[in-house]
């Protein structure tokens, strides 16, 4: 389990028109009067058909090659291409007996005195991994093993580190079963805990680009993450989403807009959504209300793809999330394409937005999930395999994107941008009251790691 502790700043670019500017450590706040669509730059108002038509797979693939070249610059440090933030280090192992913890290990009273100097053995659930680790550390444990309540593998994140956190490991329910039997029988189970991890402070940078035209009080916002995991170059995850944004932003410079469009490339997503969390956290209330919606684009070209839409409903999320979801559904239907729903459960950078009252949604093509037989019929590919067989691996390189899926989804991103850049007619208004309707359901994930 990672112990990320990274500060994120924001590099602001008022581009996609005529002007440029940059500032650090503050959210994007307009410093100029907006230009009216077509009034100064002599460009036609954006429309979805023309913007979609400007998207070419050849350009996307060229951008992927350039991105891989950037990843190669890390080979001297990591031994392979990667775009990860930070670096790795090593620690010494610790030893002790496994000591079962009462209940779910969410209260100090759950930890018996025998935990001191030993390894706490804790069931997943109720509270976060970070809370379990901190409570175990306060009780004197040298490490924690959190085991799953079902047979699946378990990995998670501890969030921001505290002095009481100890080395924390995840164990599948299948592997935990025999250990639980031994402990219940009164047997002693000794353990050696070794973790390869590092806690350090580094500064990362979000990149924000906004049109110089368009109403700054009604802004379309979309984002993808600029980093990869340390294991590989991350061309699909999330090079495909980042490059989709770059291509759409580039083509958008040929048009004018009625509403401002704000593009975001988030830092530190793989370490726990650090960049997007920071951005939303420091937004003043008046700036929060100017963002009409946020669209998340993470993994647009998985090799064994499915066209996936986040099942973002208004019942569980800020009003407008469902309208955005339906825009994606209508577009796929109009193209004669199948789609499937995926949980809106905190796995990507939309999380901070919906938890602060901003409608959100997005599309994806799949990560480490298993394609079903039904999905094989709907989308082709191979049932029983991961959607992205190279997810978080060295082989996530320029050969790890499906050109068909990437092009289709980039056109859909262009459609979403063009639609809202022209008008928010019929889309729910933002208000101070709407900020109180933020998604309050506990998220299973924060990024790709479990938190509960």
């Amino acid at each position: 389990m990672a112990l990320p502790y990274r500060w994120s700043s924001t590099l602001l670019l008022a581009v996609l028109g005529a002007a440029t500017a940059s500032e650090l450590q503050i959210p994007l706040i307009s410093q100029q009067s907006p230009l009216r669509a077509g009034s100064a730059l002599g460009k036609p108002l954006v429309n979805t058909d023309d913007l979609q038509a400007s998207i070419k797979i050849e350009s996307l693939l060229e951008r992927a090659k350039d991105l891989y070249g950037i990843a190669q610059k890390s080979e001297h440090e990591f031994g392979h291409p990667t775009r990860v933030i930070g670096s790795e280090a090593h620690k010494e192992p610790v030893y002790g007996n496994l000591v079962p913890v009462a209940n779910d290990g969410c209260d100090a009273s759950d930890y018996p005195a025998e935990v001191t100097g030993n390894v706490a053995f804790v069931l997943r659930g109720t509270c976060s991994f970070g809370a379990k680790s901190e409570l175990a550390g306060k009780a004197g444990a040298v490490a924690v093993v959190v085991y799953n309540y079902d047979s699946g593998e378990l990995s998670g994140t501890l969030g921001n580190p505290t002095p009481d956190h100890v080395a924390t490991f995840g164990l599948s329910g299948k592997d935990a079963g025999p250990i639980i039997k031994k402990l219940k029988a009164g047997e002693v189970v000794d353990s050696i805990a070794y973790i390869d991890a590092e806690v350090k402070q580094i500064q990362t940078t979000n990149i924000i680009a906004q049109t110089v035209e368009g109403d700054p009080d009604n802004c379309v916002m979309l984002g993808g993450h600029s980093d990869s995991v340390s294991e590989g170059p991350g061309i699909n995850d999330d090079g495909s989403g980042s490059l989709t944004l770059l291509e759409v932003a580039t083509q958008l410079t040929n048009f004018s807009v009625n509403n401002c469009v704000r593009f975001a490339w988030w830092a530190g997503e793989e370490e726990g959504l650090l960049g997007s969390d920071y951005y939303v956290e420091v937004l003043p209330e008046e700036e929060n209300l100017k963002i009409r919606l946020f669209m998340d684009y993470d993994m647009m070209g998985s090799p064994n793809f499915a066209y996936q839409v986040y099942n973002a409903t208004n019942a569980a999320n800020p009003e407008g999330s469902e309208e955005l979801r339906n825009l994606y559904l209508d577009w796929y239907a109009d193209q004669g394409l199948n789609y499937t729903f995926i949980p809106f459960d905190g796995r990507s950078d939309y999380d901070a937005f919906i938890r602060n009252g901003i409608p959100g949604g997005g599309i994806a093509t799949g990560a480490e999930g298993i394609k079903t037989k039904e999905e094989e019929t709907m989308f082709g590919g191979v049932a029983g395999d991961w959607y992205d067989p190279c997810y978080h691996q060295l082989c996530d390189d320029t050969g790890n994107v499906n050109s068909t899926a990437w092009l289709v989804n980039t056109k859909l991103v262009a459609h979403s941008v063009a639609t809202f850049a022209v008008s928010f007619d019929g889309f729910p208004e933002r208000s101070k009251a709407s900020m109180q309707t933020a998604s309050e359901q506990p998220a299973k994930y924060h990024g790709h790691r479990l938190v509960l």
Side-chain angles (χ1 to χ4, degrees):
M1 296 191 183
L3 285 170
Y5 193 39
R6 289 150 166 86
W7 298 103
S8 183
S9 63
T10 302
L11 176 64
L12 313 176
L13 304 176
V15 295
L16 312 183
T20 63
S22 67
E23 302 176 44
L24 291 176
Q25 297 293 356
I26 58 173
L28 185 57
I29 300 174
S30 178
Q31 300 294 329
Q32 62 181 52
S33 299
L35 298 173
R36 295 187 179 276
S39 62
L41 302 179
K43 299 175 183 178
L45 180 64
V46 66
N47 70 83
T48 183
D49 290 336
D50 288 346
L51 188 58
Q52 288 183 63
S54 69
I55 304 299
K56 308 296 182 185
I57 189 60
E58 293 81 8
S59 181
L60 291 169
L61 293 174
E62 280 301 313
R63 294 189 188 281
K65 292 178 183 178
D66 292 341
L67 189 64
Y68 187 76
I70 293 172
Q72 286 179 308
K73 294 181 179 180
S74 296
E75 288 181 338
H76 70 282
E77 181 178 357
F78 292 91
H80 59 262
T82 181
R83 296 181 296 110
V84 70
I85 62 172
S87 59
E88 299 177 345
H90 300 275
K91 292 193 175 184
E92 294 297 323
V94 294
Y95 304 85
N97 295 331
L98 283 180
V99 176
V101 170
N103 304 314
D104 293 332
C106 296
D107 189 272
S109 62
D110 294 337
Y111 293 81
E114 293 80 9
V115 161
T116 301
N118 286 305
V119 178
F121 195 58
V122 190
L123 177 65
R124 169 191 171 194
T126 305
C127 61
S128 68
F129 298 132
K132 296 176 192 286
S133 181
E134 186 172 13
L135 286 167
K138 289 179 177 179
V142 296
V144 179
V145 174
V146 181
Y147 63 93
N148 211 347
Y149 43 67
D150 57 33
S151 60
E153 297 292 329
L154 183 63
S155 62
T157 180
L158 302 183
N160 287 333
T162 73
D164 294 306
H165 276 150
V166 292
T168 305
F169 302 82
L171 190 65
S172 71
K174 180 180 179 181
D175 291 336
I179 297 173
I180 294 170
K181 288 182 179 179
K182 289 183 178 181
L183 292 173
K184 286 183 176 180
E187 296 184 38
V188 174
V189 179
D190 60 359
S191 60
I192 302 173
Y194 175 86
I195 194 165
D196 181 6
E198 181 181 33
V199 179
K200 67 182 296 186
Q201 292 185 17
I202 65 172
Q203 180 171 296
T204 64
T205 302
N206 294 326
I207 298 175
I208 310 295
Q210 180 171 309
T211 55
V212 296
E213 287 188 313
D215 181 357
D217 293 331
N218 289 279
C219 204
V220 185
M221 190 165 187
L222 61 158
H225 65 88
S226 60
D227 63 321
S228 74
V229 295
S230 62
E231 288 82 359
I235 300 303
N236 185 43
D237 181 19
D238 181 34
S240 60
S242 289
L243 297 178
T244 285
L245 263 66
L246 183 58
E247 184 63 18
V248 171
T250 300
Q251 298 305 325
L252 188 61
T253 63
N254 298 310
F255 302 92
S256 61
V257 296
N258 290 331
N259 299 314
C260 75
V261 182
R262 188 178 301 172
F263 295 83
W265 289 267
W266 305 119
E269 189 270 356
E270 298 289 6
E271 306 299 332
L273 313 183
L274 302 182
S276 54
D277 280 354
Y278 168 81
Y279 177 84
V280 180
E281 180 183 347
V282 301
L283 273 179
E285 181 181 276
E286 62 271 21
E287 294 300 321
N288 175 305
L289 291 170
K290 293 175 182 178
I291 302 173
R292 294 294 300 274
L293 80 168
F294 174 74
M295 302 178 288
D296 185 73
Y297 297 121
D298 192 350
M299 301 183 68
M300 297 291 99
S302 298
N304 195 29
F305 70 90
Y307 293 129
Q308 300 177 338
V309 180
Y310 288 122
N311 192 16
T313 64
N314 288 344
N317 301 284
E319 189 179 9
S321 300
E322 192 165 329
E323 284 79 359
L324 174 58
R325 182 199 70 174
N326 292 342
L327 176 141
Y328 300 133
L329 305 188
D330 291 343
W331 189 89
Y332 281 129
D334 289 345
Q335 310 306 311
L337 296 171
N338 294 314
Y339 59 82
T340 187
F341 288 123
I342 53 174
F344 204 43
D345 56 7
R347 283 200 62 163
S348 197
D349 287 301
Y350 57 80
D351 191 57
F353 289 85
I354 62 174
R355 297 197 179 283
N356 285 273
I358 300 171
I363 57 174
T365 52
E368 80 280 27
I370 303 297
K371 175 170 276 190
T372 65
K373 274 290 186 183
E374 181 183 7
E375 288 174 331
E376 182 182 65
T377 302
M378 294 170 67
F379 306 108
V382 181
D385 285 358
W386 285 10
Y387 300 108
D388 182 353
C390 288
Y391 176 68
H392 284 186
Q393 298 173 61
L394 181 59
C395 55
D396 187 6
D397 54 23
T398 54
N400 191 51
V401 287
N402 183 290
S403 296
T404 298
W406 196 8
L407 180 60
V408 164
N409 279 331
T410 303
K411 287 179 178 289
L412 176 49
V413 173
H415 172 65
S416 68
V417 169
T419 299
F420 295 116
V422 171
S423 175
F424 278 111
D425 287 350
F427 197 83
E429 295 282 345
R430 296 290 314 284
S431 66
K432 290 184 179 181
S434 73
M435 291 182 65
Q436 307 306 314
T437 64
S439 176
E440 294 180 353
Q441 57 184 354
K444 185 178 181 181
Y445 291 89
H446 194 63
H448 64 86
R449 296 185 176 95
L450 288 160
V451 294
L452 291 174

